Amino acid sequence: MQDVMKKAEVLIEALPYIQKFNRKIIVVKYGGSAMSNEELQRSVIQDVTLLKLVGFKPIIVHGGGKAISSWVNKVGKEAQFINGLRVTDEETMEIAEMVLSKVNKQLVTMVQELGVKAIGLSGKDSGLLHVQKKYSDGQDIGFVGDVDKVDPSVLYDLLDRDYVPIVAPIGLDDNFDTYNINADDAACAIAKAVGAEKLAFLTDIEGVYKDINDKDSLISRLTCSEADELISSGQIGGGMLPKLGNCVSAVREGVNRVHILDGRIPHCLLLEIFTNRGIGTMFLNDTDEQAV
């Protein structure tokens, strides 16, 4: 009976969150180690499916960097990065599109196995993601794009028809050339365009730390101003710096809450969204007083 009561308490704790976010859009950026581990993959897809079934409108934007690097090596090329960005020549772009398409359809299959309709697409479909060529500190890194325009109409259509859209981060420029897009950037651009209630980044760390060497310094809640101070202080570096920039930008441009979560923790999405304490770092506007 005690176990049954604990389950009931969990459901009751989730109730106000289910009520608050019913029919709201949540964008989930899915990448990192959670993509390379089959058990974690299933956990993430179960979370997204549950969100859908309790009334959310989830959109998945996925990466695939490790799989792309693996295939680049298989064809005898060496993956090159400049300032953390993949140098993408024409052949590498073809490989990236092939791999991302394969990943995309795998995720669609996993969602549909759980009884929910899903459709996979890339930013090329219906003009979803328009890009301009991206440079890294003035260096040409090939077919890497910066999102400069989002047409979310296809996403609205799919959500209205009760599908879960699953988006691969590929876009087109004015000449209809194909470009690879950083998945964080694509998720952020889409979340802004659809006015998402929440944007969740699944990463390989627990969240944002005041001191990366002190695991007790995890910050559970950050306002945009506090995040700006952290960035300016120089305490944040590496791949977390652009991620923080995306989080702050998304909140300031209309996304209600942004979360950085450790995708290596099973069911991290449910733990963050449906419990009072959460497990990652949440970003919110300076004027917001409620943490829900």
Side-chain angles (χ1 to χ4, degrees), residues 50-245:
L50 181 59
L51 292 176
K52 170 68 176 170
L53 292 172
V54 298
F56 283 67
K57 293 183 173 183
I59 298 169
I60 298 174
V61 180
H62 66 85
K66 291 181 180 178
I68 293 169
S69 292
S70 175
W71 275 97
V72 166
N73 291 334
K74 283 180 182 179
V75 300
K77 294 172 68 71
E78 186 175 340
Q80 297 180 51
F81 294 87
I82 295 177
N83 298 322
L85 295 169
R86 183 186 303 276
V87 178
T88 307
D89 60 17
E90 191 169 349
E91 186 181 15
T92 302
M93 185 63 244
E94 289 180 6
I95 294 169
E97 188 166 18
M98 175 194 72
V99 172
L100 289 170
S101 177
K102 185 174 185 289
V103 170
N104 188 277
K105 298 314 175 189
Q106 287 173 337
L107 297 178
V108 168
T109 301
M110 292 176 74
V111 171
Q112 296 193 152
E113 283 176 345
L114 294 173
V116 169
K117 297 187 297 183
I119 284 187
L121 65 160
S122 80
K124 293 167 71 171
D125 294 308
S126 194
L128 174 58
L129 296 176
H130 184 276
V131 303
Q132 290 185 346
K133 185 178 176 65
K134 186 183 185 79
Y135 292 87
S136 179
D137 292 337
Q139 296 184 70
D140 189 341
I141 50 176
F143 291 94
V144 179
D146 256 332
V147 179
D148 65 354
K149 188 166 63 177
V150 181
D151 180 353
S153 55
V154 67
L155 298 177
Y156 289 134
D157 286 345
L158 292 172
L159 292 172
D160 287 345
R161 293 171 183 268
D162 216 27
Y163 287 94
V164 174
I166 302 179
V167 183
I170 298 170
L172 295 172
D173 69 359
D174 285 335
N175 297 317
F176 297 95
D177 289 323
T178 300
Y179 283 77
N180 194 18
I181 306 167
N182 177 277
D184 283 1
D185 294 347
C188 187
I190 287 171
K192 293 176 190 176
V194 299
E197 183 72 16
K198 286 180 178 287
L199 166 61
F201 291 101
L202 303 191
T203 68
D204 286 345
I205 62 168
E206 293 86 347
V208 180
Y209 290 97
K210 286 182 181 177
D211 179 357
I212 192 63
N213 298 312
D214 180 4
K215 295 302 180 183
D216 292 326
S217 67
L218 180 69
I219 305 169
S220 61
R221 170 176 163 159
L222 267 176
T223 65
C224 289
S225 293
E226 290 167 341
D228 286 339
E229 290 174 14
L230 259 183
I231 293 169
S232 299
S233 71
Q235 292 174 269
I236 306 296
M240 183 53 72
L241 198 56
K243 199 175 295 289
L244 249 66

Side-chain angles (χ1 to χ4, degrees), residues 277-288:
R277 295 186 64 185
I279 60 166
T281 299
M282 178 177 68
F283 293 76
L284 63 162
N285 259 315
D286 298 345
T287 54
D288 289 337

